[in-house]
Coordinates of all heavy atoms in Angstrom, one line a residue:
M1 N -20.9 38.5 -47.4 CA -21.1 39.6 -46.4 C -22.6 39.9 -46.3 O -23.3 39.8 -47.2 CB -20.4 40.9 -46.9 CG -18.9 40.8 -46.8 SD -18.0 42.4 -46.9 CE -18.2 42.8 -48.6
G2 N -23.0 40.2 -45.1 CA -24.3 40.5 -44.8 C -24.5 41.8 -44.1 O -23.5 42.4 -43.6
E3 N -25.7 42.4 -44.1 CA -25.9 43.6 -43.4 C -25.5 43.5 -42.0 O -25.8 42.6 -41.3 CB -27.4 44.1 -43.6 CG -27.8 44.4 -45.0 CD -27.0 45.6 -45.5 OE1 -26.8 46.6 -44.8 OE2 -26.6 45.6 -46.7
S4 N -24.9 44.6 -41.5 CA -24.4 44.6 -40.1 C -25.6 44.8 -39.1 O -26.4 45.8 -39.3 CB -23.4 45.7 -39.9 OG -23.1 45.8 -38.5
P5 N -25.7 44.0 -38.1 CA -26.7 44.3 -37.1 C -26.3 45.4 -36.1 O -27.1 45.9 -35.3 CB -26.9 42.9 -36.3 CG -25.5 42.3 -36.5 CD -25.0 42.7 -37.8
N6 N -25.0 45.8 -36.2 CA -24.5 46.7 -35.3 C -24.3 48.1 -35.9 O -24.4 49.1 -35.1 CB -23.1 46.3 -34.8 CG -23.2 44.9 -34.1 OD1 -24.0 44.7 -33.2 ND2 -22.3 44.0 -34.6
F7 N -24.2 48.3 -37.2 CA -23.9 49.5 -37.8 C -24.7 49.7 -39.1 O -24.7 48.9 -39.9 CB -22.4 49.7 -38.1 CG -21.5 49.5 -36.9 CD1 -20.9 48.2 -36.7 CD2 -21.3 50.5 -36.0 CE1 -20.0 48.0 -35.6 CE2 -20.5 50.3 -34.9 CZ -19.8 49.1 -34.7
V8 N -25.4 50.8 -39.1 CA -26.3 51.1 -40.3 C -25.4 51.4 -41.5 O -24.5 52.2 -41.4 CB -27.2 52.3 -40.0 CG1 -28.1 52.6 -41.2 CG2 -28.1 51.9 -38.8
G9 N -25.7 50.8 -42.6 CA -25.0 51.1 -43.9 C -23.7 50.3 -44.0 O -22.9 50.5 -44.9
F10 N -23.4 49.4 -43.1 CA -22.2 48.6 -43.1 C -22.5 47.1 -43.2 O -23.6 46.7 -42.9 CB -21.3 48.8 -41.9 CG -20.6 50.2 -41.9 CD1 -21.3 51.3 -41.3 CD2 -19.4 50.4 -42.5 CE1 -20.7 52.5 -41.3 CE2 -18.8 51.6 -42.5 CZ -19.4 52.7 -41.9
R11 N -21.6 46.4 -43.7 CA -21.7 44.9 -43.8 C -20.8 44.2 -42.9 O -19.7 44.7 -42.5 CB -21.4 44.5 -45.3 CG -22.4 45.0 -46.3 CD -22.0 44.5 -47.6 NE -22.8 45.1 -48.7 CZ -22.7 44.9 -49.9 NH1 -21.8 44.0 -50.4 NH2 -23.5 45.5 -50.8
E12 N -21.2 43.1 -42.4 CA -20.4 42.2 -41.6 C -19.7 41.2 -42.4 O -20.3 40.7 -43.3 CB -21.2 41.6 -40.5 CG -21.8 42.6 -39.5 CD -20.8 43.1 -38.5 OE1 -19.7 42.5 -38.3 OE2 -21.0 44.2 -38.0
L13 N -18.5 40.8 -42.0 CA -17.8 39.7 -42.7 C -18.4 38.4 -42.1 O -18.7 38.3 -40.9 CB -16.3 39.7 -42.4 CG -15.6 40.9 -43.0 CD1 -14.1 40.9 -42.5 CD2 -15.6 40.9 -44.5
L14 N -18.7 37.5 -43.0 CA -19.2 36.2 -42.6 C -18.1 35.2 -42.5 O -17.2 35.2 -43.3 CB -20.3 35.8 -43.5 CG -21.5 36.7 -43.7 CD1 -22.5 36.2 -44.7 CD2 -22.2 36.9 -42.3
A15 N -18.2 34.3 -41.6 CA -17.2 33.2 -41.4 C -17.2 32.3 -42.7 O -18.3 32.0 -43.2 CB -17.5 32.4 -40.2
Q16 N -16.1 32.1 -43.2 CA -15.9 31.2 -44.3 C -14.9 30.1 -44.0 O -13.9 30.3 -43.3 CB -15.3 32.0 -45.5 CG -16.2 33.1 -46.0 CD -17.5 32.6 -46.7 OE1 -17.4 31.6 -47.4 NE2 -18.6 33.2 -46.5
P17 N -15.2 28.9 -44.5 CA -14.2 27.8 -44.2 C -12.9 28.1 -44.9 O -12.9 28.7 -46.0 CB -14.8 26.6 -44.8 CG -15.9 27.1 -45.7 CD -16.3 28.4 -45.3
F18 N -11.8 27.8 -44.3 CA -10.5 28.0 -44.8 C -10.3 27.0 -46.0 O -10.5 25.8 -45.8 CB -9.4 27.9 -43.8 CG -8.1 28.4 -44.2 CD1 -7.8 29.8 -44.1 CD2 -7.0 27.6 -44.7 CE1 -6.6 30.3 -44.5 CE2 -5.8 28.2 -45.0 CZ -5.6 29.5 -45.0
P19 N -9.8 27.5 -47.1 CA -9.7 26.5 -48.3 C -8.5 25.5 -48.0 O -7.6 25.8 -47.3 CB -9.3 27.4 -49.4 CG -8.7 28.7 -48.8 CD -9.4 28.8 -47.5
D20 N -8.7 24.3 -48.5 CA -7.7 23.3 -48.4 C -6.5 23.8 -49.2 O -6.6 24.3 -50.3 CB -8.2 22.0 -49.0 CG -9.2 21.3 -48.1 OD1 -9.2 21.6 -46.9 OD2 -10.1 20.6 -48.6
V21 N -5.3 23.6 -48.6 CA -4.1 23.9 -49.3 C -3.1 22.7 -49.2 O -3.2 21.9 -48.2 CB -3.4 25.1 -48.7 CG1 -4.2 26.4 -48.9 CG2 -3.1 25.0 -47.2
E22 N -2.3 22.6 -50.2 CA -1.4 21.5 -50.2 C -0.2 21.8 -49.4 O 0.4 22.9 -49.5 CB -0.9 21.2 -51.7 CG 0.1 20.1 -51.8 CD 0.6 20.0 -53.2 OE1 0.0 20.5 -54.1 OE2 1.7 19.4 -53.4
E23 N 0.1 21.0 -48.4 CA 1.3 21.2 -47.6 C 2.5 20.9 -48.4 O 2.6 19.9 -49.1 CB 1.3 20.4 -46.3 CG 0.2 20.9 -45.3 CD 0.3 20.2 -44.0 OE1 1.4 19.8 -43.6 OE2 -0.7 20.0 -43.4
K24 N 3.5 21.8 -48.3 CA 4.7 21.6 -49.1 C 5.9 21.9 -48.2 O 6.0 23.0 -47.6 CB 4.7 22.5 -50.3 CG 5.8 22.2 -51.4 CD 5.5 22.9 -52.6 CE 6.5 22.5 -53.7 NZ 6.3 23.2 -54.9
N25 N 6.9 21.0 -48.2 CA 8.1 21.2 -47.4 C 9.0 22.1 -48.3 O 9.5 21.6 -49.4 CB 8.8 19.9 -47.1 CG 10.0 20.1 -46.3 OD1 10.8 20.9 -46.5 ND2 10.1 19.2 -45.2
V26 N 9.3 23.3 -47.9 CA 10.0 24.2 -48.7 C 11.5 23.7 -48.9 O 12.0 24.0 -50.0 CB 10.0 25.7 -48.1 CG1 10.7 25.8 -46.8 CG2 10.5 26.7 -49.1
F27 N 12.0 23.1 -48.0 CA 13.4 22.6 -48.1 C 13.5 21.5 -49.2 O 14.4 21.5 -50.0 CB 14.0 22.2 -46.8 CG 14.0 23.3 -45.7 CD1 13.1 23.3 -44.7 CD2 14.9 24.3 -45.9 CE1 13.2 24.3 -43.8 CE2 15.0 25.3 -45.0 CZ 14.1 25.4 -43.9
N28 N 12.5 20.6 -49.1 CA 12.5 19.6 -50.2 C 12.3 20.2 -51.6 O 12.8 19.7 -52.5 CB 11.3 18.6 -49.9 CG 11.6 17.7 -48.7 OD1 12.8 17.6 -48.2 ND2 10.6 17.0 -48.2
A29 N 11.4 21.2 -51.6 CA 11.2 21.9 -52.9 C 12.4 22.5 -53.5 O 12.7 22.5 -54.7 CB 10.0 22.9 -52.8
I30 N 13.2 23.2 -52.6 CA 14.4 23.8 -53.0 C 15.4 22.8 -53.5 O 16.1 23.0 -54.5 CB 15.0 24.7 -51.8 CG1 14.1 25.9 -51.5 CG2 16.5 25.1 -52.2 CD1 14.5 26.6 -50.3
A31 N 15.6 21.7 -52.7 CA 16.5 20.6 -53.1 C 16.1 20.0 -54.5 O 16.9 19.8 -55.3 CB 16.6 19.6 -52.0
Q32 N 14.8 19.8 -54.6 CA 14.3 19.2 -55.9 C 14.5 20.2 -57.1 O 14.9 19.8 -58.1 CB 12.8 18.9 -55.8 CG 12.3 18.1 -57.0 CD 13.0 16.8 -57.2 OE1 13.0 16.0 -56.3 NE2 13.6 16.6 -58.4
N33 N 14.4 21.5 -56.8 CA 14.7 22.5 -57.9 C 16.1 22.4 -58.3 O 16.4 22.5 -59.5 CB 14.3 23.9 -57.4 CG 14.6 24.9 -58.4 OD1 15.3 25.9 -58.1 ND2 14.0 24.8 -59.6
L34 N 17.0 22.3 -57.3 CA 18.4 22.2 -57.6 C 18.8 20.9 -58.4 O 19.5 21.0 -59.4 CB 19.3 22.2 -56.3 CG 20.8 22.1 -56.5 CD1 21.3 23.3 -57.3 CD2 21.4 22.1 -55.1
V35 N 18.2 19.8 -58.0 CA 18.4 18.5 -58.7 C 17.8 18.7 -60.2 O 18.5 18.3 -61.1 CB 17.7 17.4 -58.0 CG1 17.6 16.1 -58.9 CG2 18.4 17.1 -56.7
D36 N 16.6 19.3 -60.3 CA 16.1 19.4 -61.7 C 16.9 20.4 -62.5 O 17.0 20.2 -63.7 CB 14.6 20.0 -61.6 CG 13.7 19.0 -61.0 OD1 14.0 17.8 -61.0 OD2 12.6 19.4 -60.6
A37 N 17.5 21.4 -61.9 CA 18.4 22.3 -62.6 C 19.6 21.6 -63.2 O 20.0 21.8 -64.3 CB 18.8 23.5 -61.7
V38 N 20.2 20.7 -62.4 CA 21.4 20.0 -62.8 C 21.0 18.9 -63.8 O 21.6 18.8 -64.9 CB 22.1 19.3 -61.6 CG1 23.2 18.4 -62.0 CG2 22.6 20.4 -60.6
D39 N 19.9 18.1 -63.5 CA 19.6 17.0 -64.4 C 18.9 17.4 -65.7 O 19.1 16.9 -66.7 CB 18.7 16.0 -63.6 CG 19.4 15.2 -62.6 OD1 20.6 15.2 -62.6 OD2 18.7 14.6 -61.8
K40 N 18.0 18.4 -65.6 CA 17.1 18.7 -66.7 C 17.3 20.1 -67.3 O 16.7 20.5 -68.3 CB 15.6 18.6 -66.3 CG 15.3 17.3 -65.7 CD 13.9 17.3 -65.1 CE 13.6 15.9 -64.5 NZ 12.3 16.0 -63.7
G41 N 18.2 20.9 -66.6 CA 18.5 22.2 -67.2 C 17.4 23.3 -66.9 O 17.4 24.3 -67.6
V42 N 16.5 23.0 -66.0 CA 15.4 24.0 -65.7 C 16.1 25.1 -64.9 O 17.0 24.9 -64.2 CB 14.3 23.3 -64.9 CG1 13.6 22.2 -65.7 CG2 14.7 22.8 -63.5
P43 N 15.5 26.3 -65.0 CA 16.1 27.4 -64.3 C 15.9 27.3 -62.8 O 14.9 26.7 -62.3 CB 15.3 28.7 -64.8 CG 14.2 28.1 -65.6 CD 14.4 26.7 -65.9
L44 N 16.8 27.8 -62.0 CA 16.7 27.8 -60.6 C 15.6 28.7 -60.1 O 15.4 29.8 -60.8 CB 18.0 28.2 -59.9 CG 19.2 27.2 -60.0 CD1 20.5 27.8 -59.5 CD2 18.8 25.9 -59.2
A45 N 14.9 28.4 -59.0 CA 13.9 29.3 -58.5 C 14.4 30.6 -58.0 O 13.8 31.6 -58.0 CB 13.1 28.6 -57.4
C46 N 15.7 30.6 -57.5 CA 16.3 31.8 -57.1 C 17.8 31.7 -57.5 O 18.3 30.7 -57.7 CB 16.2 32.1 -55.7 SG 16.8 30.8 -54.6
N47 N 18.4 32.9 -57.7 CA 19.8 32.9 -58.2 C 20.7 33.6 -57.2 O 20.2 34.0 -56.1 CB 19.8 33.6 -59.6 CG 19.3 35.0 -59.6 OD1 19.3 35.7 -58.6 ND2 18.7 35.4 -60.7
A48 N 21.9 33.8 -57.6 CA 22.9 34.4 -56.7 C 22.5 35.9 -56.3 O 22.7 36.3 -55.2 CB 24.3 34.4 -57.3
S49 N 21.9 36.6 -57.2 CA 21.4 37.9 -57.0 C 20.3 37.9 -55.9 O 20.3 38.8 -55.0 CB 20.9 38.6 -58.2 OG 20.4 39.9 -58.0
D50 N 19.4 37.0 -56.0 CA 18.4 36.8 -54.9 C 19.0 36.5 -53.6 O 18.6 37.1 -52.6 CB 17.4 35.7 -55.3 CG 16.6 36.0 -56.6 OD1 16.3 37.1 -56.9 OD2 16.3 35.0 -57.2
G51 N 20.0 35.7 -53.6 CA 20.7 35.3 -52.3 C 21.4 36.5 -51.7 O 21.4 36.7 -50.5
R52 N 22.0 37.3 -52.6 CA 22.7 38.5 -52.1 C 21.7 39.5 -51.5 O 22.0 40.1 -50.5 CB 23.5 39.2 -53.3 CG 24.4 40.3 -52.8 CD 25.1 41.1 -53.9 NE 24.2 42.2 -54.1 CZ 23.8 42.6 -55.3 NH1 24.2 42.0 -56.4 NH2 23.0 43.6 -55.4
K53 N 20.6 39.7 -52.2 CA 19.6 40.6 -51.6 C 19.1 40.1 -50.3 O 18.9 40.9 -49.3 CB 18.4 40.7 -52.6 CG 18.8 41.5 -53.9 CD 17.7 41.5 -54.9 CE 18.1 42.1 -56.2 NZ 17.1 41.9 -57.2
A54 N 18.9 38.8 -50.1 CA 18.4 38.2 -48.8 C 19.5 38.5 -47.8 O 19.2 38.8 -46.6 CB 18.1 36.8 -49.0
L55 N 20.8 38.3 -48.1 CA 21.9 38.5 -47.2 C 21.9 40.0 -46.8 O 22.1 40.3 -45.6 CB 23.2 38.1 -47.8 CG 24.4 38.3 -47.0 CD1 24.3 37.5 -45.6 CD2 25.7 37.8 -47.7
E56 N 21.7 40.9 -47.8 CA 21.7 42.3 -47.4 C 20.6 42.7 -46.4 O 20.8 43.5 -45.5 CB 21.6 43.1 -48.7 CG 22.8 43.2 -49.6 CD 22.6 43.9 -50.9 OE1 21.5 44.0 -51.3 OE2 23.6 44.4 -51.4
I57 N 19.5 42.0 -46.6 CA 18.4 42.3 -45.7 C 18.8 41.8 -44.3 O 18.6 42.5 -43.3 CB 17.1 41.6 -46.1 CG1 16.5 42.3 -47.4 CG2 16.0 41.6 -45.0 CD1 15.4 41.6 -48.1
G58 N 19.3 40.6 -44.2 CA 19.8 40.1 -42.9 C 20.8 40.9 -42.3 O 20.8 41.2 -41.1
I59 N 21.8 41.4 -43.1 CA 22.8 42.3 -42.5 C 22.2 43.6 -42.1 O 22.6 44.2 -41.0 CB 24.0 42.5 -43.5 CG1 24.7 41.2 -43.7 CG2 24.9 43.6 -43.1 CD1 25.7 41.2 -44.9
A60 N 21.3 44.1 -42.8 CA 20.6 45.4 -42.4 C 19.9 45.2 -41.1 O 19.9 46.1 -40.2 CB 19.6 45.8 -43.5
L61 N 19.2 44.1 -40.9 CA 18.6 43.8 -39.6 C 19.6 43.7 -38.5 O 19.3 44.3 -37.4 CB 17.8 42.4 -39.7 CG 16.5 42.4 -40.5 CD1 16.1 41.0 -40.8 CD2 15.4 43.3 -39.9
H62 N 20.7 43.1 -38.7 CA 21.7 43.0 -37.7 C 22.3 44.4 -37.4 O 22.4 44.8 -36.2 CB 22.9 42.1 -38.2 CG 24.0 42.0 -37.4 ND1 24.1 41.2 -36.2 CD2 25.3 42.6 -37.4 CE1 25.2 41.4 -35.6 NE2 26.0 42.2 -36.3
Q63 N 22.5 45.2 -38.4 CA 23.1 46.5 -38.3 C 22.0 47.4 -37.5 O 22.4 48.2 -36.6 CB 23.4 47.1 -39.6 CG 24.2 48.4 -39.6 CD 24.6 48.8 -41.0 OE1 24.8 48.0 -41.9 NE2 24.9 50.1 -41.1
S64 N 20.8 47.3 -37.9 CA 19.7 48.1 -37.2 C 19.7 47.7 -35.7 O 19.6 48.6 -34.9 CB 18.4 47.8 -37.9 OG 17.3 48.4 -37.1
H65 N 19.7 46.5 -35.4 CA 19.7 46.0 -34.0 C 20.9 46.6 -33.3 O 20.8 47.1 -32.1 CB 19.7 44.5 -33.9 CG 19.8 44.0 -32.5 ND1 18.8 44.0 -31.7 CD2 20.9 43.4 -31.9 CE1 19.2 43.5 -30.5 NE2 20.4 43.1 -30.6
A66 N 22.1 46.6 -33.9 CA 23.3 47.1 -33.2 C 23.2 48.6 -33.0 O 23.9 49.1 -32.1 CB 24.5 46.7 -34.1
M67 N 22.4 49.3 -33.8 CA 22.3 50.7 -33.7 C 21.1 51.1 -32.9 O 20.6 52.2 -33.0 CB 22.3 51.3 -35.1 CG 23.5 51.1 -35.9 SD 23.5 51.7 -37.6 CE 22.1 52.7 -37.8
G68 N 20.5 50.2 -32.1 CA 19.4 50.6 -31.3 C 18.1 50.6 -32.1 O 17.2 51.3 -31.8
H69 N 18.0 49.7 -33.1 CA 16.8 49.6 -33.9 C 16.5 50.8 -34.8 O 15.3 51.0 -35.1 CB 15.6 49.2 -33.0 CG 15.8 48.0 -32.2 ND1 15.8 46.7 -32.7 CD2 16.1 47.9 -30.9 CE1 16.1 45.9 -31.8 NE2 16.3 46.5 -30.6
L70 N 17.5 51.5 -35.2 CA 17.3 52.6 -36.1 C 17.1 52.0 -37.5 O 17.6 51.0 -37.8 CB 18.5 53.5 -36.1 CG 18.8 54.3 -34.8 CD1 20.1 55.1 -34.9 CD2 17.6 55.3 -34.6
P71 N 16.4 52.7 -38.4 CA 16.2 52.3 -39.7 C 17.5 52.2 -40.5 O 18.4 53.1 -40.3 CB 15.2 53.3 -40.4 CG 14.7 54.1 -39.3 CD 15.7 54.0 -38.1
V72 N 17.7 51.2 -41.3 CA 18.9 51.1 -42.2 C 18.4 50.9 -43.6 O 17.6 50.0 -43.9 CB 19.8 49.9 -41.7 CG1 20.9 49.7 -42.7 CG2 20.3 50.1 -40.3
K73 N 18.9 51.7 -44.5 CA 18.6 51.5 -45.9 C 19.4 50.4 -46.5 O 20.6 50.4 -46.1 CB 18.8 52.8 -46.7 CG 17.8 53.9 -46.4 CD 18.1 55.1 -47.2 CE 17.1 56.3 -46.9 NZ 17.4 57.5 -47.6
I74 N 18.9 49.6 -47.3 CA 19.6 48.5 -47.9 C 20.8 49.0 -48.6 O 21.9 48.4 -48.6 CB 18.7 47.6 -48.8 CG1 17.6 47.0 -48.0 CG2 19.5 46.6 -49.5 CD1 18.0 46.0 -47.0
S75 N 20.7 50.2 -49.3 CA 21.8 50.7 -50.0 C 22.9 51.2 -49.1 O 24.0 51.5 -49.6 CB 21.3 51.9 -50.9 OG 20.8 52.9 -50.1
E76 N 22.7 51.3 -47.8 CA 23.7 51.8 -46.9 C 24.2 50.7 -45.9 O 24.7 51.0 -44.9 CB 23.1 53.0 -46.1 CG 22.7 54.2 -46.9 CD 22.0 55.3 -46.2 OE1 21.7 55.1 -45.0 OE2 21.6 56.3 -46.8
V77 N 23.9 49.5 -46.3 CA 24.4 48.4 -45.4 C 25.9 48.4 -45.4 O 26.6 48.6 -46.4 CB 23.9 47.0 -46.0 CG1 24.5 45.8 -45.4 CG2 22.4 46.9 -45.8
A78 N 26.4 48.1 -44.2 CA 27.9 48.1 -44.0 C 28.5 46.9 -44.8 O 28.2 45.8 -44.4 CB 28.2 48.0 -42.5
R79 N 29.2 47.2 -45.8 CA 29.8 46.1 -46.6 C 31.0 45.4 -45.9 O 31.5 44.4 -46.4 CB 30.2 46.6 -48.0 CG 29.1 47.4 -48.7 CD 28.2 46.4 -49.3 NE 27.1 47.1 -50.1 CZ 26.0 46.6 -50.3 NH1 25.7 45.4 -50.0 NH2 25.1 47.3 -51.0
S80 N 31.4 46.0 -44.8 CA 32.6 45.4 -44.1 C 32.2 44.2 -43.3 O 33.0 43.5 -42.8 CB 33.2 46.5 -43.2 OG 32.3 46.9 -42.2
L81 N 30.9 44.0 -43.0 CA 30.4 42.9 -42.2 C 30.7 41.6 -43.0 O 30.4 41.5 -44.2 CB 29.0 43.0 -41.9 CG 28.6 44.1 -40.9 CD1 27.1 44.2 -40.7 CD2 29.3 43.9 -39.6
K82 N 31.2 40.6 -42.4 CA 31.5 39.3 -43.0 C 30.8 38.2 -42.2 O 30.6 38.3 -41.1 CB 33.0 39.1 -43.0 CG 33.8 40.2 -43.6 CD 33.7 40.1 -45.1 CE 34.7 41.2 -45.7 NZ 34.2 41.8 -46.9
V83 N 30.6 37.1 -42.9 CA 30.1 35.9 -42.3 C 31.3 35.1 -41.8 O 32.2 34.8 -42.6 CB 29.3 35.0 -43.3 CG1 28.9 33.7 -42.7 CG2 28.1 35.8 -43.8
Q84 N 31.4 34.8 -40.6 CA 32.5 34.1 -40.0 C 32.2 32.7 -39.6 O 31.1 32.5 -39.0 CB 33.1 34.9 -38.8 CG 33.5 36.3 -39.2 CD 34.0 37.1 -38.0 OE1 34.0 36.6 -36.9 NE2 34.4 38.3 -38.2
N85 N 33.1 31.8 -39.8 CA 33.0 30.4 -39.2 C 33.2 30.5 -37.7 O 34.1 31.2 -37.3 CB 33.9 29.5 -39.9 CG 33.6 29.3 -41.4 OD1 32.4 29.4 -41.7 ND2 34.6 29.0 -42.2
R86 N 32.5 29.6 -37.0 CA 32.8 29.5 -35.6 C 33.7 28.5 -35.2 O 33.9 27.5 -35.8 CB 31.4 29.3 -34.8 CG 30.5 30.5 -35.0 CD 29.3 30.2 -34.2 NE 28.4 31.4 -34.4 CZ 27.3 31.6 -33.8 NH1 26.9 30.8 -32.9 NH2 26.6 32.7 -33.9

């Protein structure tokens, strides 16, 4: 950061190159984690409880949309909603 030419007592952010990151296909990583869990007994990256929480968030979003975008507490998600096959 350097002294601001526009504001006294403030600093300006200086441009920095974005760091190199390794690209990773998340679907391949999930599949590999499942294979490793079966073959090597390593713990899964997420469990059924994590899946349930993600589903509750999705249902809360759906419920909020149906109610005109009103807030919905996760603890108050309608448990009667079901996933249906088409």
Side-chain angles (χ1 to χ4, degrees):
M1 288 194 286
E3 290 298 317
S4 173
N6 302 309
F7 304 101
V8 175
F10 288 90
R11 296 181 185 177
E12 294 287 335
L13 297 176
L14 300 176
Q16 297 290 322
F18 196 78
D20 289 332
V21 292
E22 178 186 343
E23 289 189 32
K24 191 171 188 180
N25 183 316
V26 69
F27 299 107
N28 288 347
I30 291 168
Q32 187 61 55
N33 178 239
L34 180 59
V35 169
D36 291 344
V38 172
D39 287 348
K40 302 173 186 171
V42 301
L44 289 170
C46 59
N47 57 32
S49 177
D50 296 329
R52 191 187 90 225
K53 289 174 187 174
L55 179 60
E56 286 176 336
I57 291 169
I59 292 172
L61 288 168
H62 175 78
Q63 189 172 336
S64 172
H65 175 73
M67 296 173 14
H69 305 285
L70 293 174
V72 175
K73 292 182 180 178
I74 298 296
S75 61
E76 298 171 0
V77 168
R79 304 285 180 202
S80 61
L81 293 175
K82 306 284 185 212
V83 176
Q84 298 178 1
N85 293 330
R86 293 183 179 188

